[in-house]
Amino acid sequence: MDEIETDVLVAGSGVGGIMAAYRAHLAGARVVLLGGSGGASGRISSMNTALGYGPEDTPARLFDDMFRAGGYVNDPTVVAAFAERIGQETLHLAELGVPFASDGDLLVRRQATGSTWTRAVYTMGLVGVDISRCLMALLTAADPDRVTVVRSGLLLEVSMTDGRVSGGLAYVPRDEGWLRITAGSVVLATGGAGQLFRNTTNPRGSRGTGYAMALEAGATLTGMEFVSFEPFVSTYPVEAKGDDLPTTVLREGAKLRNGRGEEFLDTSRAPTKDIICRAMVREVREGRGTPSGSVYYDIRGMAPEAVDRYVQIKEALNSRGLDSREAQIEVMPAQHFLMGGVQIDNEAASDVAGLYAVGEVAGGAHGAHRLAAGGGMEVVVGGAIAGESAAAFALEHPTPVQSSSSTPRPELIARGRSTKEQSQLTRIQAALEEGCGILRNADELSRTVEAVKEVLDDATRLGQPLVRRAALVGLAIARSAQLRTESRGDHFREDFPDRNDATWMARIDVAANGAGLRFTRSEVYRRSHTDASDSVATFIG
Ligand SMILES: Cc1cc2nc3c(=O)[nH]c(=O)nc-3n(C[C@H](O)[C@H](O)[C@H](O)COP(=O)(O)OP(=O)(O)OC[C@H]3O[C@@H](n4cnc5c(N)ncnc54)[C@H](O)[C@@H]3O)c2cc1C
C-alpha cells in the first residue's frame, strides 16, 4: 500500500472539492485531491451570485431569498457567510478566466426559479464544466510536492486518532491501488446520494458514501428529510428519457401544459421547484397528464436566440430532430438534490475536529428547499470557505499519527458486488421511491422505514459494509421524513399539509448510535417577521 502525507485531504472533485483544494493550496497547505467519478457539477448551467450591480443585487436580498425558500430552517449563519462572499468569488473566477457571459465589463444574468432577482451567472456552455476546467488546470500546474491530484481516487474511510481526523484510506480503481493518506484535516466533497433513488438526475458517482463516512467518523447529519426533485426531466421517447431541462426558461417564454394543452400553474412569479413538482404530480394523478403520464414542457413561445443560450435544450432538440418552434417535450420530476447533509457551521466545519464538508454532502445552507442555481453558488463559496478553514486547522494543529492499520478493505469497493448485495440496494431504491417522494404520508413512510431497517439489519448481520452504508443513509432520510409531521419546502406530507411553526421550527439531527442511528430534534433560529427582514439585519453585516 502506498502512503502519502499531506495537510489537507479533499475527497471528491466536483466544483466543491476543486474549489476547496484550490483555496487550501492558496492558503499555504499541501493538498491531496481525490477525483472520484463523474459528479453533478458537470451539469451546472447557472449559478446564483450577488455582484452589487444595483440596489437589488445585494447579499441581503440573496440571503432573504435563500432563507425564505428554505422555510427558515436553514442555518442563517451559513446562509449569511455564503451570501456575503459569493460575489467576490464569482469575480475572482472571472479574473481567472471562467468565460461567464458578459456585456462589456458586466456579467449578464438570468432569473432562476424561486429567486426574486435576476442574479444567476452562466457561460455559453455549462458553467460547472468551465469552472472545473479552469481550476483543475491551476491545480495540476502547481508544484507536485504541494498538490497531488489522484484522478479517480475514492476515499473509503476517514481515519480518526484521539477524537480528531488524521487522514483516510483510499482506493484507485484505475490501477487497483490502495493509498493510506495521513492528513491534518479532511474535506468531504463527495456529492449527493441520488443513486439511492430509482429515478434521479444524479450521475453514478452520487452514491452517498460521504454521508456514511461522516456518520462513522462521529459527525452529525442534519435535515436529511429534505430531498428536492427536478421538475423537468424528459420521460418520452424512451431513448431520450432522463434529459434534465432548465427551469429558468419559465421566465423566457416557456410554458407548462397538461395533456389537454392547458397551462396549470401560474409561473409568472417564478415559483420554487417544489411548488412546480407538486403541481405536475397532481395534474397527472387527477387524470390530466399526457398519454405517457407526464406534462408538456412547451418552448414554442421562446425566442430562438434565448433557446440558443441553453446547451441542454439544444441537445434535447437535436436528439429528437425537433425545431424549438414546434417543441413540446414530455417531462416529469426526478430526485435531484439532498438539502440535508453533514451539519456545518459558517466555517464549513463539522462537529468532528478536522472534518469539513462542502457542496451537496454538507447540510445547513438550504433548509427545506434549495433555490434553483443555488447548488453552484454553494460549491463555489462553500468550497472556498472549506478549503481555507481546513488549511488553517491543519497548519495550526500538528498532524497526528494514524492509529488505523494500513490494510486494504476490498469489501468497501463497489466493484465485485454480489447479486444479493445488488438486490438489497434495489430494495432501498424502491423503498425511498415509495415513501420519500414528492407527496409523502404516514403509511408509505412507515413501510419505507421498515424496509430500509430490514436491509440495514441484514447487512449488519451478513457483514456487508457497502449495503450497510447505503441503508444508513436511506434510513436517515426516511426516518427524518417520518418524524417531521408537517409540510415545509420539498417535504410535503399529505397527512400534515400545513407548515407548523409552533412545533417544527426545528432541525432533525442524525448521529450514529451503535449499529443504528439516533435522531434528535433541536430548535432553530426563530425569525419574528414573515418577511425575514429582521433575520437579514441580524446576520448580514
Ligand atoms: C442534472 C443536474 C443539473 C443541475 N443544474 C444545476 C444548475 O444549473 N445550477 C446549480 O446551481 N446547480 C445545479 N445542479 C446542482 C449541482 O450540480 C450540485 O449542487 C453541485 O454540483 C454539487 O457539487 P459537489 O461538488 O457537491 O458534488 P459533485 O459535483 O457531485 O461531485 C462529487 C464528486 O465526488 C465524487 N465522490 C463520491 N464519493 C467519493 C469518495 N468516496 N471519494 C472520492 N470522491 C468521491 C463523485 O464521484 C463526484 O465526482 C444540478 C444537478 C444536476 C444533477
Side-chain angles (χ1 to χ4, degrees):
M1 168 159 351
D2 289 333
E3 311 238 342
I4 311 185
E5 203 208 312
T6 191
D7 299 314
V8 178
L9 167 61
V10 181
S13 64
V15 171
I18 299 179
M19 191 75 191
Y22 168 71
R23 280 285 173 196
H25 169 57
L26 287 191
R30 292 168 302 159
V31 181
V32 170
L33 173 64
L34 299 174
S37 53
S41 294
R43 299 301 299 173
I44 301 175
S45 56
S46 1
M47 171 187 115
N48 286 334
T49 186
L51 295 168
Y53 284 173
E56 306 274 21
D57 189 20
T58 59
R61 182 88 178 248
L62 174 55
F63 173 98
D64 205 13
D65 276 0
M66 287 178 72
F67 206 30
R68 184 171 332 116
Y72 308 106
V73 291
N74 353 24
D75 180 334
T77 65
V78 175
V79 183
F82 285 10
E84 285 186 319
R85 187 163 164 177
I86 186 61
Q88 104 196 33
E89 290 302 331
T90 309
L91 295 177
H92 180 63
L93 288 175
E95 278 163 23
L96 290 178
V98 174
F100 291 114
S102 59
D103 183 5
D105 286 343
L106 301 183
L107 306 190
V108 292
R109 287 142 309 142
R110 45 173 73 128
Q111 185 171 1
T113 310
S115 284
T116 61
W117 190 245
T118 308
R119 63 162 76 90
V121 290
Y122 55 95
T123 62
M124 294 313 284
L126 286 162
V127 67
V129 173
D130 291 319
I131 296 173
S132 301
R133 197 175 284 148
C134 170
L135 294 180
M136 200 51 123
L138 295 173
L139 288 171
T140 47
D143 176 353
D145 288 337
R146 310 291 304 170
V147 177
T148 309
V149 179
V150 184
R151 285 271 172 201
S152 58
L154 289 171
L155 184 69
L156 297 183
E157 185 181 73
V158 174
S159 311
M160 300 292 295
T161 302
D162 300 332
R164 61 159 283 196
V165 155
S166 56
L169 173 70
Y171 177 69
V172 188
R174 203 187 40 221
D175 46 16
E176 300 189 7
W178 292 86
L179 266 180
R180 170 66 63 190
I181 302 150
T182 302
S185 57
V186 171
V187 179
L188 289 175
T190 45
Q195 291 298 327
L196 298 184
F197 288 76
R198 201 159 45 199
N199 291 311
T200 181
T201 59
N202 286 195
R204 278 191 310 114
S206 308
R207 286 188 292 260
T209 331
Y211 304 92
M213 287 190 293
L215 284 170
E216 289 165 4
T220 302
L221 306 185
T222 191
M224 295 298 282
E225 67 275 34
F226 298 121
V227 178
S228 87
F229 293 78
E230 181 66 17
F232 306 146
V233 180
S234 68
T235 53
Y236 188 83
V238 179
E239 51 285 4
K241 208 172 156 183
D243 292 343
D244 63 291
L245 296 160
T247 46
T248 38
V249 292
L250 293 178
R251 305 293 291 163
E252 299 178 38
K255 305 279 182 216
L256 204 48
R257 297 187 193 280
N258 63 20
R260 300 173 187 167
E262 302 155 345
E263 277 189 69
F264 57 88
L265 182 70
D266 175 10
T267 52
S268 62
R269 287 164 178 262
T272 47
K273 288 183 185 178
D274 53 325
I275 292 173
I276 301 175
C277 287
R278 286 196 287 277
M280 290 169 72
V281 169
R282 287 203 181 104
E283 214 55 24
V284 172
R285 274 199 184 178
E286 290 168 16
R288 294 183 295 276
T290 66
S292 78
S294 310
V295 301
Y296 291 118
Y297 180 85
D298 175 2
I299 56 171
R300 293 174 299 178
M302 275 179 85
E305 59 276 18
V307 171
D308 266 354
R309 290 194 288 267
Y310 290 98
V311 175
Q312 307 100 303
I313 299 184
K314 283 193 286 184
E315 283 170 357
L317 293 177
N318 288 342
S319 69
R320 290 168 174 79
L322 281 178
D323 186 279
S324 69
R325 282 162 302 189
E326 54 181 6
Q328 293 201 91
I329 300 173
E330 289 184 60
V331 291
M332 276 307 274
Q335 190 280 344
H336 189 58
F337 186 87
L338 291 194
M339 270 69 73
V342 180
Q343 189 187 322
I344 54 162
D345 64 14
N346 57 358
E347 296 187 340
S350 75
D351 51 2
V352 169
L355 185 65
Y356 297 80
V358 54
E360 190 166 348
V361 74
H366 305 296
H369 177 78
R370 167 172 79 67
L371 283 176
M377 179 253 195
E378 173 180 38
V379 283
V380 165
V381 67
I385 295 172
E388 284 175 1
S389 303
F393 184 90
L395 296 175
E396 280 162 22
H397 301 82
T399 304
V401 176
Q402 285 199 36
S403 51
S404 318
S405 64
S406 292
T407 322
R409 296 197 56 196
E411 72 279 14
L412 292 177
I413 307 172
R415 192 189 293 168
R417 209 159 38 204
S418 69
T419 321
K420 164 86 177 148
E421 284 174 298
Q422 188 51 54
S423 76
Q424 285 169 306
L425 292 170
T426 308
R427 261 179 87 195
I428 296 173
Q429 290 175 330
L432 290 185
E433 201 78 27
E434 181 191 10
C436 298
I438 293 167
L439 306 180
R440 304 169 170 188
N441 62 58
D443 289 347
E444 288 174 353
L445 275 166
S446 148
R447 282 200 294 276
T448 296
V449 167
E450 285 318 307
V452 179
K453 266 189 186 160
E454 261 178 42
V455 176
L456 178 63
D457 291 346
D458 280 357
T460 307
R461 189 168 39 82
L462 298 169
Q464 298 168 324
L466 266 186
V467 178
R468 219 185 98 71
R469 283 180 163 180
L472 278 175
V473 181
L475 186 60
I477 296 169
R479 179 73 181 130
S480 300
Q482 187 182 39
L483 287 170
R484 186 175 281 277
T485 48
E486 64 146 6
S487 291
R488 190 180 295 264
D490 282 280
H491 172 72
F492 187 85
R493 292 280 303 249
E494 293 172 297
D495 42 354
F496 297 97
D498 298 320
R499 197 167 94 187
N500 176 352
D501 282 352
T503 312
W504 280 113
M505 282 299 288
R507 282 193 333 243
I508 298 174
D509 295 335
V510 188
N513 184 25
L517 296 174
R518 184 179 65 244
F519 294 80
T520 48
R521 175 185 175 288
S522 51
E523 296 287 316
V524 294
Y525 165 80
R526 267 179 191 267
R527 80 217 144 85
S528 55
H529 302 303
T530 43
D531 69 1
S533 55
D534 64 321
S535 327
V536 175
T538 309
F539 292 100
I540 291 273

